[in-house]
Amino acid sequence: MQPDCHLPESARRLKQARADLWARAGAGAVGGFAWEYTHLVDRYFESRIREAGPQRFAFTLVAVGGYGRGRLCPGSDVDVLLLFKHRIPSGAEQFIKTLLFPLWDLGLDLGHGVRTVADCVTLARKDFQVLASLMDARPLAGDAEVFDTFKTTFAARVLRKSGETFAASLREHNEARAAQYGDASALLEPELKNGLGGLRDGQQVAWLTRMLQVLQRDPIFLPEELARLREDQAFLNRVRTALHLAAGRKTDRLFFDLQPPTARLMGFASRTASPEDTGLAVEFFLSRLHQAMTRIKAMREALFQEAFPAPAAPLPELSIRNLAAGPEGIRFERQAAATPDNVLGAFLESARTGLPLTWGARRMIRRDPARFAAGLAGRRETLSILVEIFLAPHCRTALDGLLETRLLPSLFPEFAEVEHLIQFNDYHVHPVGRHTLATVALLSDFVRGDGQWTGELAAKVADPARLVLAGFFHDLGKGAPDHSGAGAAMAREVLARYGRVPEAIEDVAFLVEHHLLLPKTATRRDLSDERAVSDVAAVVGDTARLDMLHLLSTADSMATGPRAWNSWTRSLLGELYFKVRNLLRHGPLAEPDAARRLADSKLAVLAALPDLDPEFVDAAMRAMPPRAFLALTPEAIAGHVRLVRKLWAAVAEDRMRKPSSIGGKGVNLIEAAPGRAENTYKLTIAAVDQPRLFATIAGALSLHGLNILAADIFSWKDGTAVDVFTVGEPPENLYPEEVWARVGRSVSYAMVGKLDLAARLEERGKSPLTRGRGRPRLGPLVTIDNQASDFYTVVEVAATDRTGFLFDMARTLAAHGLSIHVAMITTIKGRAADVFHVRTQDGRRLLDEARQDALRRDLLAASTAR
């Protein structure tokens, strides 16, 4: 017997037709999917009603929501309403089941209602979501008179009376959407349906435009603008269709791992494309998507602002002639007033007041932005006004308008070239244009005193214009191999064109060229190494430039995203800033000073341990590596001494209970304390030093779900190892003390061969509970640098992050006979990056080129092994 034999003929035809449609779409034919799928479901209901036979009552079967709009994607709900004129007859419930049960058997997600016209009116006036779904109502079958009665009653009793209430409910809903889903028009993992700029925005424009017609009010948009909106909506719907097919399920978040297959289904890449070509295709695809979303979002915002404005404060007085302000925004008093100077002045008033330009004013600019840009280009006053806009309290409103009207890209072709540039990684959350303006806006906040520390620092900046101009130019060189150098050259050329003085030009160019200096040094160098601090001080030269560079680096990191800016990176950047500032103010460090500090530190350690045998303390300090006295406070060193004393007592006890060959092996002690950054812990782990100890500890931490941020390794001359790890908070629902105990047991078991960490980490990495969302598959990079430090070789491995990555890198370094002294874990260009300061077994840097080549080869292999 066939498994479909219980299905009626109408459902069997639908099932086969759906399978054929899915197959064609999966091969790349997604263009007409929504219309064709909607047509198949329509035909099913028509056939199913005929199969059910004549009914004793008059009804209309109505498609509502997305189905009513004719926009069914593979995972869309099919929402229908069985509608009656006056009352619901007794057979209605059985009839709707007859229609829907076969669809449930096919696995469709269904929503249905059985209502009278009066029911619809009552519910729509109470619930804006019901009102919205009924605005898209489309009759499928039944009595035309029933639907005509509904349309007439709905327009008279709901649409004409609920316009303002409906708009207010949508505005409140949009605030919740913004908080939950974000601005999809500016995110690299956009939410296609509910994110701002997504399908929901376009639907709201359609609903409220219809509401204006019912209320007999003037339209906001021209027919050609609404036609363009429909094109953008259709594109988004095709993307959503491709996303559902690529994911094999309903999802509206365009996650990184789903972007390549979605781009292929949309025709932006072939199935045989190389990883590099696929990444480029994804960037083109996302650029097109963001442009559509930006237009949709702008229309929705303009419609609310001008047709259904929120209660507004008293209107401000404008200081520029020929401009007027109303609740709907800033407008030109007459068309002839839209001169280049007035256009830029209008955006300045927008930045001062927070009022956007009206849609009509923006339409005039958008029609020919190049004409206005031609009248403004190269004039000194133009750049001065732009700087005023950057520094104004509502600069974000004006910057959005400058972007949406295309005036800013027309005025600065350098900006236009990279505006939609997208790097296929999960490091930046915005395209370059949006990232640039977000950086400028953050710097503007700093200058106006937002943020206690950044506000205090910005108050010291003599010329804030140089700071915000550096923010504008800092990433405009993207696309060039050295984007910082290219951006600096661009800043010099453009600022000279606009008549800026040479001193200001050089300050801006310096900030652009070195905007990555502080974050790269802070996250990749050992900050206890005087060389790292002095190298930065030598580049910066004075505290004025250091202050501006720190503010620019902070704003750039904040605008980049959470992988670039968090409590840990903030603490590292702050530590480096204060060390460099101290060096610039009090002169260079010298060997006698270092020796004095070393002696002072030892005296302070002795004073902190009055209860311990002075001979033991002295022996412990002689066994410590000299770097410990530069990298650690005297209090921390004293803590290490106490911990090591407990360790050797535990080792002695263990050796009494076990044979000498394994006695003491695997014994370790862990002390935890809050880290210097929020939501971090500092774990000090003492153990008998042995091969692969660091890799074992790193593996145990990863096995128990701890995010490792940094590690300092102190190998004592007496065979003791004290490793200091900075980690994130333990997984939810676990007490930290229990996690530290589990880590200690795992280290012990692994060191004596009772636990296979590699196998357990591989198992954990494959678990759906820990895998999380995929990230872009990026080619690994290995850099071996002997110039950054006088004492260590700096090895940097950057690759797609995964569970156990640090463990595998540490094992590979150990296999090459390299001892790790410092490890820092960060993110560089979208890749999880582990930076190691290493030495050979004889205490030297790794200078042999053949050994370097072998190490590079093995690290590359290990980074892609799992």
Side-chain angles (χ1 to χ4, degrees):
M1 182 179 292
Q2 294 297 321
D4 295 341
C5 64
H6 67 288
L7 292 174
E9 179 62 25
S10 56
R12 287 200 293 270
R13 285 199 301 267
L14 175 60
K15 180 178 181 181
Q16 183 59 53
R18 284 179 75 231
D20 295 342
L21 177 59
W22 256 249
R24 293 196 304 274
V30 298
F33 183 97
W35 176 88
E36 190 169 352
Y37 185 24
T38 301
H39 178 66
L40 290 177
V41 179
D42 286 355
R43 195 163 58 188
Y44 161 79
F45 280 118
E46 294 168 6
S47 300
R48 186 61 182 146
I49 287 173
R50 284 195 299 270
E51 290 172 342
Q55 303 299 313
R56 296 193 307 268
F57 41 77
F59 70 91
T60 298
L61 185 67
V62 181
V64 294
Y67 180 33
R69 291 187 295 272
R71 291 289 182 265
L72 286 182
C73 294
S76 293
D77 296 348
V78 176
D79 295 320
V80 294
L81 172 65
L82 188 60
L83 185 63
F84 298 92
K85 186 184 287 188
H86 298 301
R87 65 180 184 82
I88 299 174
S90 59
E93 196 67 31
Q94 183 57 46
F95 179 54
I96 195 70
K97 290 179 180 178
T98 299
L99 300 183
L100 298 184
F101 274 13
L103 297 182
W104 273 314
D105 291 340
L106 292 182
L108 273 67
D109 291 324
L110 303 174
H112 74 283
V114 180
R115 300 177 198 147
T116 65
V117 171
D119 292 336
C120 291
V121 169
T122 301
L123 286 172
R125 295 179 69 169
K126 291 180 179 178
D127 189 333
F128 79 96
Q129 292 180 330
V130 173
L131 193 162
S133 71
L134 291 175
M135 290 188 78
D136 295 316
R138 178 173 58 90
L140 297 173
D143 192 330
E145 184 184 351
V146 175
F147 190 74
D148 288 343
T149 300
F150 162 75
K151 280 201 309 181
T152 304
T153 307
F154 186 70
R157 296 179 57 189
V158 178
L159 297 185
R160 289 195 182 97
K161 296 182 178 181
S162 302
E164 297 295 338
T165 304
F166 181 50
S169 298
L170 289 178
R171 185 183 296 106
E172 185 178 339
H173 177 58
N174 290 341
E175 293 174 358
R177 287 171 53 214
Q180 184 173 356
Y181 301 105
D183 182 354
S185 69
L187 294 175
L188 297 191
E189 284 188 320
E191 215 280 356
L192 300 179
K193 183 178 178 181
N194 288 302
L196 301 189
L199 289 164
R200 190 65 76 204
D201 272 12
Q203 292 157 13
Q204 290 186 13
V205 173
W207 296 332
L208 294 180
T209 298
R210 181 184 169 192
M211 193 74 76
L212 291 177
Q213 293 173 343
V214 172
L215 298 174
Q216 298 181 338
R217 288 161 56 178
D218 292 337
I220 303 299
F221 306 118
L222 299 176
E224 56 266 32
E225 292 169 339
L226 292 173
R228 182 57 189 264
L229 172 71
R230 288 191 290 272
E231 291 176 7
D232 286 335
Q233 283 285 92
F235 177 78
L236 258 67
N237 209 73
R238 291 196 298 275
V239 174
R240 189 172 182 237
T241 294
L243 175 60
H244 288 185
L245 292 169
R249 57 185 174 82
K250 179 180 179 179
T251 178
D252 293 320
R253 177 73 72 177
L254 187 58
F255 289 107
F256 281 110
D257 57 337
L258 295 173
Q259 290 173 6
T262 302
R264 282 195 293 270
L265 288 172
M266 290 293 296
F268 284 84
S270 68
R271 294 182 180 275
T272 58
S274 66
E276 292 77 13
D277 289 340
T278 297
L280 187 61
V282 169
E283 292 171 9
F284 279 121
F285 161 58
L286 290 177
S287 175
R288 169 71 177 87
L289 179 63
H290 282 116
Q291 291 177 58
M293 287 180 151
T294 297
R295 288 190 292 265
I296 292 170
K297 177 189 165 194
M299 291 184 72
R300 190 262 301 163
E301 290 178 337
L303 185 56
F304 274 92
Q305 179 72 28
E306 300 189 30
F308 300 97
L315 293 175
E317 292 186 9
L318 304 185
S319 58
I320 297 176
R321 294 176 57 191
N322 299 317
L323 296 177
E328 73 281 2
I330 296 171
R331 65 184 187 278
F332 302 108
E333 290 187 332
R334 58 188 184 281
Q335 188 167 346
T339 63
D341 286 337
N342 268 1
V343 163
L344 198 58
F347 283 114
L348 177 57
E349 293 289 8
S350 176
R352 289 170 175 166
T353 65
L355 286 172
L357 272 66
T358 64
W359 185 258
R362 280 183 277 166
R363 181 188 293 136
M364 282 194 290
I365 302 168
R366 199 186 305 111
R367 280 175 175 167
D368 193 5
R371 176 174 71 86
F372 296 104
L376 294 167
R379 295 169 51 189
R380 182 181 179 85
E381 313 86 73
T382 297
L383 193 63
S384 297
I385 294 174
L386 189 64
V387 168
E388 285 189 71
I389 291 173
F390 287 168
L391 292 171
H394 302 285
C395 67
R396 288 173 176 83
T397 301
L399 292 176
D400 282 347
L402 284 166
L403 199 62
E404 189 266 324
T405 59
R406 314 307 301 150
L407 181 60
L408 186 63
S410 298
L411 193 55
F412 294 98
E414 299 85 357
F415 178 89
E417 289 181 7
V418 297
E419 177 189 355
H420 298 294
L421 181 64
I422 293 168
Q423 293 175 286
F424 183 47
N425 58 50
D426 62 347
Y427 190 56
H428 292 82
V429 298
H430 303 299
V432 172
R434 290 282 189 172
H435 166 78
T436 297
L437 299 187
T439 302
V440 170
L442 285 165
L443 289 170
S444 180
D445 293 341
F446 297 165
V447 170
R448 292 193 312 280
D450 290 1
Q452 182 177 357
W453 160 239
T454 51
E456 291 175 3
L457 193 60
K460 301 177 183 177
V461 175
D463 184 3
R466 302 180 189 186
L467 182 60
V468 291
L469 285 171
F472 180 70
F473 284 103
H474 83 282
D475 265 359
L476 298 196
K478 279 288 177 73
D482 174 18
H483 85 273
S484 299
M490 195 179 294
R492 288 189 177 94
E493 191 275 325
V494 173
L495 293 179
R497 191 165 77 219
Y498 279 88
R500 287 277 152 167
V501 298
E503 181 186 355
I505 293 174
E506 284 310 306
D507 267 354
V508 173
F510 170 84
L511 294 172
V512 172
E513 184 173 2
H514 298 289
H515 72 275
L516 295 177
L517 175 65
L518 295 183
K520 285 177 71 173
T521 302
T523 57
R524 298 163 71 180
R525 299 282 297 273
D526 177 8
L527 298 186
S528 67
D529 184 352
E530 293 177 358
R531 166 80 180 275
V533 178
S534 61
D535 283 351
V536 173
V539 172
V540 175
D542 61 60
T543 56
R545 279 188 167 178
L546 176 65
D547 291 345
M548 288 193 293
L549 196 61
H550 182 65
L551 289 167
L552 176 59
S553 300
T554 299
D556 181 27
S557 298
M558 291 173 68
T560 295
R563 298 198 59 158
W565 187 253
N566 49 54
S567 62
W568 177 241
T569 52
R570 182 172 67 242
S571 71
L572 291 175
L573 200 61
E575 179 183 350
L576 176 61
Y577 167 79
F578 283 111
K579 285 186 173 181
V580 173
R581 194 169 190 274
N582 186 60
L583 184 57
L584 290 171
R585 292 184 64 188
H586 300 293
L589 299 177
E591 287 302 319
D593 181 62
R596 179 185 57 77
R597 287 191 294 114
L598 188 66
D600 290 346
S601 181
K602 289 184 176 181
L603 289 174
V605 172
L606 281 169
L609 297 168
D611 54 320
L612 295 188
D613 181 0
E615 291 187 10
F616 173 82
V617 176
D618 182 64
M621 287 194 292
R622 280 188 280 108
M624 288 181 187
R627 195 180 71 83
F629 295 94
L630 301 175
L632 301 171
T633 64
E635 293 76 15
I637 295 172
H640 286 199
V641 173
R642 292 187 184 278
L643 186 62
V644 168
R645 188 166 180 267
K646 294 178 184 177
L647 170 72
W648 284 110
V651 167
E653 183 179 344
D654 192 66
R655 285 174 175 171
M656 290 179 62
R657 293 186 289 104
K658 298 177 182 177
S660 58
S661 60
I662 62 170
K665 195 172 185 181
V667 174
N668 65 89
L669 297 178
I670 300 179
E671 286 188 350
R676 64 184 177 191
E678 296 175 14
N679 304 318
T680 65
Y681 284 89
K682 182 178 71 173
L683 301 184
T684 304
I685 306 174
V688 177
D689 202 4
Q690 49 196 303
R692 301 176 187 265
L693 175 63
F694 174 80
T696 299
I697 297 173
L701 292 169
S702 296
L703 182 63
H704 293 285
L706 293 164
N707 182 30
I708 305 171
L709 300 168
D712 253 349
I713 296 91
F714 301 101
S715 299
W716 293 21
K717 297 175 184 177
D718 63 354
T720 305
V722 181
D723 294 351
V724 181
F725 283 81
T726 300
V727 300
E729 290 187 314
E732 293 181 5
N733 303 321
L734 290 175
Y735 292 107
E737 294 77 13
E738 176 59 25
V739 177
W740 316 145
R742 293 181 185 182
V743 169
R745 288 194 294 270
S746 295
V747 170
S748 179
Y749 292 157
M751 294 307 296
V752 298
K754 292 183 179 180
L755 174 64
D756 186 343
L757 272 177
R760 288 291 304 277
L761 285 168
E762 183 172 2
E763 179 183 310
R764 177 181 174 83
K766 292 178 179 178
S767 168
L769 298 176
T770 58
R771 190 166 52 227
R773 289 303 323 169
R775 292 179 176 141
R777 301 299 301 177
L778 304 167
L781 296 173
V782 174
T783 303
I784 299 175
D785 183 1
N786 279 300
Q787 304 303 315
S789 173
D790 294 328
F791 305 104
Y792 304 102
T793 294
V794 179
V795 178
E796 178 183 314
V797 188
T800 303
D801 197 11
R802 56 172 169 77
T803 301
F805 184 80
L806 175 60
F807 171 71
D808 289 338
M809 298 306 102
R811 283 197 305 168
T812 303
L813 291 168
H816 281 259
L818 297 170
S819 58
I820 302 169
H821 293 261
V822 177
M824 304 185 76
I825 291 80
T826 184
T827 304
I828 300 170
K829 295 182 180 178
R831 297 168 171 84
D834 291 356
V835 181
F836 305 93
H837 295 233
V838 302
R839 284 179 178 169
T840 60
Q841 290 180 332
D842 57 358
R844 301 172 183 268
R845 289 180 293 169
L846 181 63
L847 300 174
D848 185 278
E849 292 187 3
R851 289 186 64 185
Q852 288 183 20
D853 290 342
L855 175 63
R856 186 179 292 107
R857 193 165 51 247
D858 288 351
L859 287 171
L860 286 170
S863 67
T864 57
R866 297 187 192 205

